[in-house]
Amino acid sequence: MSFTQTRTTTSNHSEYVYYQGSTSLDHSANQTNGNAVGGANVALAIGYLYLSAASAYINYRSFLSFDLSNIPVCEIESATLILTRYNTSANDFDIYIVASEASDDVGTSDYQDGITGASGFPFTDDVTLYKDSAWTVGGTSQGDIRTTTLNSNALSDIKSAMGSGKFKLALLNTYDYNDTYTSLSAVSAFVIKGPMFYSTQDSTTTNHPQLRITTKHTSFKISADTSFKGGNHTIK
């Protein structure tokens, strides 16, 4: 007889890294290192910011980590990423979820090196997707909880992290991932475009990113007939 068990793990750390340049959004995406991290910022940014007056072109990538060292290794049936919106959906576009090997604290060098398999830009053919296609986040308002099911690549890496390590992922916007900033007619505005979510720096723990894992288990029923013939018997 088999049964399932569901555990929800809160991210131990989540933070964005960005590169700000003065040339173009495509140029900002095509950099090895970022020039700043989110730090104490309570939001995760995955999109871009363009300010024509300041000649500022900023590309954001977010990195999430989940400590699974306290979960015993077992078979996994499914895994769901749970994020809480920080902004409205007014400026949304799709995002991609990919494997990450970012440092535990997240630094500027993780801008590219924190993406598993990335050795240059574009890295579309090099990275490992944790969702088979782009994610249309949905939701409309700040505080809306959004969920998405991860694929078999993620399940394999989650299992590898169980009992001993951390499962890490990165969030990239569609223009960054697909190297299509050159086709975007960006409008200058003092607002980060794209979906944003609460980070682990937010004071409300329930807003932090979560990973819901459903595991599969098999139970065994053991039956036996025992007979006692003479003597003294103690059962402990």
Side-chain angles (χ1 to χ4, degrees):
M1 182 173 65
S2 62
F3 64 95
T4 61
Q5 183 178 10
T6 299
R7 299 177 173 88
T8 299
T9 299
T10 300
S11 174
N12 61 284
H13 189 78
S14 59
E15 191 172 351
Y16 66 72
V17 182
Y18 71 78
Y19 181 89
Q20 177 177 339
S22 58
T23 304
S24 66
L25 288 170
D26 181 66
H27 175 266
S28 294
N30 190 6
Q31 301 300 314
T32 302
N33 296 321
N35 46 32
V37 296
N41 200 301
V42 300
L44 292 173
I46 309 138
Y48 67 86
L49 176 64
Y50 166 51
L51 290 172
S52 59
S55 296
Y57 299 85
I58 308 174
N59 183 60
Y60 296 85
R61 297 168 183 167
S62 284
F63 299 87
L64 290 71
S65 174
F66 298 89
D67 187 349
L68 305 183
S69 59
N70 63 339
I71 300 180
V73 179
C74 51
E75 294 302 315
I76 305 172
E77 185 172 89
S78 65
T80 302
L81 179 64
I82 305 169
L83 301 174
T84 302
R85 289 200 71 113
Y86 180 80
N87 64 348
T88 70
S89 61
N91 299 297
D92 264 14
F93 40 73
D94 291 350
I95 62 175
Y96 284 82
I97 305 172
V98 303
S100 170
E101 52 190 8
S103 56
D104 287 346
D105 294 332
V106 180
T108 54
S109 63
D110 291 313
Y111 188 67
Q112 179 176 290
D113 287 348
I115 301 170
T116 303
S119 58
F121 188 84
F123 39 68
T124 311
D125 296 329
D126 303 322
V127 302
T128 299
L129 287 170
Y130 278 162
K131 186 174 178 63
D132 291 333
S133 58
W135 179 26
T136 301
V137 174
T140 57
S141 305
Q142 184 178 34
D144 283 354
I145 297 174
R146 311 310 304 154
T147 66
T148 189
T149 302
L150 304 182
N151 65 14
S152 59
N153 295 328
L155 300 190
S156 177
D157 288 349
I158 289 171
K159 184 176 180 180
S160 295
M162 283 178 164
S164 61
K166 297 181 177 72
F167 171 70
K168 299 180 179 182
L169 58 85
L171 304 176
L172 312 174
N173 76 67
T174 185
Y175 303 108
D176 187 11
Y177 175 79
N178 288 306
D179 187 22
T180 54
Y181 267 130
T182 53
S183 65
L184 173 67
S185 298
V187 177
S188 177
F190 196 73
V191 60
I192 297 174
K193 301 298 180 72
M196 297 174 68
F197 307 101
Y198 282 99
S199 74
T200 49
Q201 282 64 259
D202 186 62
S203 60
T204 303
T205 305
T206 53
N207 284 337
H208 295 184
Q210 296 180 328
L211 183 67
R212 180 182 298 145
I213 305 170
T214 300
T215 54
K216 297 183 291 185
H217 306 268
T218 302
S219 60
F220 299 92
K221 182 179 180 181
I222 301 175
S223 60
D225 295 325
T226 304
S227 62
F228 299 94
K229 296 181 179 180
N232 297 320
H233 305 276
T234 302
I235 301 176
K236 295 182 179 181

